[in-house]
Amino acid sequence: MERPRVVREDGALDGDVVRAVLAGDVDRYAELVQRYRDKYARYAARMLGSLDAADDAVQDAFIRAYEQLAQCRDPANFAGWFFLILRNRCFAERRSSGRLGKRTSLESDPVAAPDDAGRRLEDEELRQRLQRELMELTPEQREVFVLKHIEELSYEEIAARIGGSVAALKMRMHRAYDRLRERLTREEART
Amino acid sequence: MKTLALVSILAFAGTPLAAQQGVDAQLAGRVAPDVAAAVRTLADSAMRAGLPSDPLVQKAIEGAAKGVPAPQIIAALETVLGRLDQAAAAIRAAGVAQPDAETVVAGAFAASAGMPASAVTALARVQTAKTPAAALLRIAGTLAAIGVPSPQAVSLVVAAARSGGDVTAVLDLPARVESAVARGVTPVQAAEGLARAAAHGGLPQSPGGGRGNSGSHRP
Amino acid sequence: MSEMHSLVKRLLDGELGLAELPVELRAEGEWALRLLAAADRRDVRLGAGLDARVMAAVRRAAPEPSSAWRWIVRPFELRLAIRPWAALAAAAVLILLVVARPFGRGVPSASRAAVPESVVVRFVLYAPSAHAVSVAGSFNQWDRGATPLVPAGHSGLWAATVTLAPGQHQYAFVVDGRQWVVDPGAPAVDDGFGRRNSLITVGAPAGDKSL
């Protein structure tokens, strides 16, 4: 993944903000929180299956990133480093309550700005079914699916972000395709 | 009882730009341009590594005031930065995830007094809420400067910190060692004697009359 | 057969177009593409309450400004006995008294820091042959002209009274404007330039007593 040079009209480079926080200006950490609060929220929501869980995970990740800020080797790439902390936090969910296996209905989740009242009911059902089945994948399989088909990264970009070879990622994805196909065709056969 | 009002000796500016301006302001007229440039470069490295940069500024000013040639000043600055980096690493090795600037500078001071990184780690590990790492490192470094060898200095500081009292037990150590030395023992003998006393239930009433009741000055 | 055909997988990976699939796989391909299209790509916005919660936790974790000198929490005196250094040729004898008397708020306060109670310190040097003596250190930017010592009669002693903030300071005496002399009665540390600096540790003022 290329290192984003995040420049905002109103603010400083990420690297400068990180350095300022490390130098003692703790209040400026809020700039990073505001910048990245929503950037990886969709990833967290799709990985964890609910908005509440995503909120918790992103909050925890920001706090942990602050605690470990001195270990951020490349402050200019705070975004990438923060993503890895969030990722670890998402993966850690499975070690606790087993929430990841739960079938979570996202229907009542005010997940996003409402976009399309005209979406067909069929597609809405399919969307929910797909999300449910994603939660039945292993976290690693779900992650590659989310990064490729929801975050719309290429395999190369995914490899740059989370490590591993493109070939290994493809294998993981293809196993995910198999499992999705298996579960969804079985479900279709039942209906 | 007066409230202790304490100030940080390391004045951090709010942003890197302001920090650089602060550095330039402190150096202006005091150091040669090539030294100032070196300070800016090294201060930038320090800040990127999360290390305090003020010790670099102060060392440059000291060198210039002492008439030290620029190459030697710059070499000393690199030594300072190396010590800060090593101190931060040694403190992290003690399990402190994010060492604060004061502790890092105290660790670098201990190193400048000749203490090895392992001593810095050992002292940082022992720290408690009552006896913060910065105090332990400063006092251990001071003991080393008095002539107590590093292992005995660490043992003595650790024993005093664990003796259950507050940080005054640690802060008193250099004066106690110097009193003992004035009475004729060597620094290492003084340190070992005090460490034994601390391990066996506390240090004796501290020397140096005129201080008043040692218990009444606690803030 | 529950496994997805490998060509359909490549279709999903974006390596093939639907038209490139064999006819018998087109239906499966279309189904798979519809599935992908159903993935929820809607933006997710978390509430701004998260910012507040994070900053509350972060501020709790941040070190307090006043903790910088936490390691000095009570006054103590540094009294050095007069050392028998007079026998040495270029000897200097230092009698250093730390007067634990609150001096006042002479130091401007930083925005997040509290004002220190400074402590009065008396530096003394025995240098009977000197024409000028000063003390330079971390407390006066090592300026050899900032703190001159004054001869005390004809004793050969030179003295100056200085106000220092609590903490640890490094210093040396400067004799005749050019000779840097370390204090033989004080601990010394390497100055990084091949010389040594003397060390003085100053405690915070006493609550009540003065010397």
Side-chain angles (χ1 to χ4, degrees):
Chain A
M1 178 176 78
E2 56 157 33
R3 301 260 169 88
R5 200 172 152 79
V6 181
V7 184
R8 296 163 69 90
E9 319 74 58
D10 55 332
L13 296 171
D14 280 1
D16 290 344
V17 178
V18 169
R19 280 188 287 274
V21 172
L22 286 173
D25 197 345
V26 172
D27 289 340
R28 294 203 63 193
Y29 192 70
E31 293 174 43
L32 296 170
V33 179
Q34 192 184 20
R35 270 178 210 180
Y36 294 110
R37 180 188 61 220
D38 294 330
K39 180 174 172 68
Y40 302 115
R42 181 172 59 186
Y43 164 86
R46 298 283 84 81
M47 284 295 292
L48 299 173
S50 87
L51 180 67
D52 283 346
D55 197 285
D56 282 349
V58 170
Q59 176 180 321
D60 286 353
F62 272 120
I63 294 170
R64 187 158 174 78
Y66 172 78
E67 289 167 352
Q68 307 222 309
L69 199 60
Q71 271 83 61
C72 177
R73 287 271 145 203
D74 184 10
N77 189 28
F78 173 84
W81 181 73
F82 172 75
F83 170 77
L84 292 175
I85 292 176
L86 174 62
R87 176 176 189 254
N88 287 339
R89 172 60 177 74
C90 288
F91 275 68
E93 285 275 292
R94 70 175 142 177
R95 288 197 280 277
S96 55
S97 57
R99 252 202 289 195
L100 288 183
K102 199 169 90 172
R103 286 174 185 253
T104 313
S105 165
L106 293 175
E107 210 174 337
S108 51
D109 262 340
V111 161
D115 52 352
D116 48 333
R119 187 181 280 273
R120 290 181 304 168
L121 185 61
E122 215 176 294
D123 285 349
E124 177 61 29
E125 279 179 2
L126 187 56
R127 180 164 71 191
Q128 290 181 22
R129 236 167 51 215
L130 176 58
Q131 180 65 47
R132 275 202 302 273
E133 295 309 330
L134 281 178
M135 298 309 294
E136 298 300 324
L137 297 175
T138 70
E140 289 82 5
Q141 290 166 355
R142 178 165 59 256
E143 179 181 44
V144 71
F145 186 96
V146 168
L147 290 176
K148 178 120 182 76
H149 295 303
I150 294 178
E151 296 301 313
E152 294 179 319
L153 303 180
S154 69
Y155 281 116
E156 287 74 15
E157 288 169 325
I158 297 172
R161 195 186 274 204
I162 69 174
S165 69
V166 167
L169 291 172
K170 279 188 183 174
M171 267 180 54
R172 207 182 293 168
M173 178 72 94
H174 291 184
R175 274 202 289 274
Y177 290 155
D178 284 337
R179 290 194 58 187
L180 289 171
R181 185 186 188 283
E182 179 192 2
R183 297 182 64 87
L184 286 163
T185 50
R186 196 192 310 157
E187 210 180 289
E188 275 178 2
R190 277 202 299 265
T191 55
Chain B
M1 177 84 70
K2 288 210 164 45
T3 310
L4 281 167
L6 307 171
V7 71
S8 172
I9 201 173
L10 305 162
F12 287 113
T15 67
L17 184 58
Q20 285 289 9
Q21 286 168 346
V23 166
D24 290 343
Q26 285 179 278
L27 296 175
R30 291 186 188 276
V31 306
D34 49 352
V35 172
V39 174
R40 274 194 294 274
T41 305
L42 293 170
D44 195 55
S45 295
M47 281 162 52
R48 267 187 275 115
L51 300 169
S53 56
D54 195 65
L56 296 164
V57 175
Q58 298 307 318
K59 187 55 68 178
I61 291 172
E62 178 188 344
K66 288 180 172 178
V68 175
Q72 216 179 326
I73 298 181
I74 294 169
L77 294 179
E78 285 164 355
T79 301
V80 168
L81 184 57
R83 284 206 184 114
L84 290 168
D85 194 39
Q86 283 166 0
I91 296 163
R92 279 195 296 270
V96 179
Q98 199 184 352
D100 63 274
E102 181 60 22
T103 309
V104 171
V105 174
F109 165 73
S112 75
M115 307 200 83
S118 56
V120 173
T121 303
L123 292 165
R125 205 169 267 142
V126 163
Q127 73 161 332
T128 66
K130 285 199 286 189
T131 58
L136 304 178
L137 291 163
R138 286 266 177 198
I139 295 301
T142 307
L143 290 171
I146 288 172
V148 177
S150 181
Q152 282 78 14
V154 171
S155 299
L156 176 54
V157 171
V158 168
R162 285 186 178 154
S163 67
D166 63 9
V167 71
T168 59
V170 175
L171 298 179
D172 280 346
L173 293 175
R176 289 173 181 276
V177 169
E178 290 202 297
S179 292
V181 168
R183 287 196 300 272
V185 303
T186 65
V188 64
Q189 288 170 333
E192 286 172 342
L194 286 167
R196 276 193 297 273
H200 287 102
L203 296 159
Q205 180 76 15
S206 62
R211 188 181 298 161
N213 302 317
S214 56
S216 69
H217 286 199
R218 297 248 302 264
Chain C
M1 176 184 76
S2 60
E3 267 189 14
M4 185 182 286
H5 194 282
S6 66
L7 288 176
V8 177
K9 290 177 183 172
R10 291 181 61 198
L11 170 74
L12 294 184
D13 280 353
E15 293 169 17
L16 294 177
L18 188 58
E20 294 168 78
L21 284 183
V23 169
E24 63 273 18
L25 291 178
R26 296 263 170 90
E28 183 178 345
E30 280 165 358
W31 177 89
L33 285 176
R34 245 183 94 222
L35 184 67
L36 267 202
D40 190 344
R41 293 181 189 80
R42 291 175 298 177
D43 254 355
V44 172
R45 308 246 162 76
L46 302 175
L50 183 147
D51 293 36
R53 286 192 299 274
V54 169
M55 291 312 295
V58 156
R59 287 189 185 107
R60 272 198 303 274
E64 309 210 338
S66 62
S67 71
W69 284 114
R70 243 180 335 155
W71 62 284
I72 299 275
V73 293
R74 62 151 244 154
F76 66 96
E77 294 165 9
L78 184 65
R79 256 192 217 271
L80 301 178
I82 298 175
R83 306 293 171 111
W85 297 94
L88 298 176
V93 174
L94 171 71
I95 304 166
L96 178 66
L97 302 174
V98 173
V99 179
R101 183 173 69 225
F103 182 82
R105 298 174 183 248
V107 177
S109 57
S111 56
R112 289 177 62 178
V115 175
E117 304 263 25
S118 301
V119 176
V120 174
V121 171
R122 194 163 167 78
F123 288 96
V124 180
L125 184 68
Y126 178 70
S129 322
H131 301 287
V133 180
S134 63
V135 61
S138 52
F139 47 82
N140 64 6
Q141 306 289 291
W142 296 95
D143 183 350
R144 71 184 86 178
T147 312
L149 275 64
V150 172
H154 302 288
S155 61
L157 290 174
W158 298 71
T161 302
V162 176
T163 309
L164 297 183
Q168 211 166 40
H169 307 268
Q170 297 190 15
Y171 66 98
F173 295 104
V174 187
V175 175
D176 293 340
R178 48 172 175 71
Q179 191 187 357
W180 288 77
V181 173
V182 86
D183 173 4
V189 290
D190 169 45
D191 76 345
F193 307 119
R195 288 177 253 204
R196 292 162 67 73
N197 290 334
S198 299
L199 204 58
I200 174 173
T201 311
V202 171
D208 39 12
K209 307 195 184 238
S210 56
L211 266 190

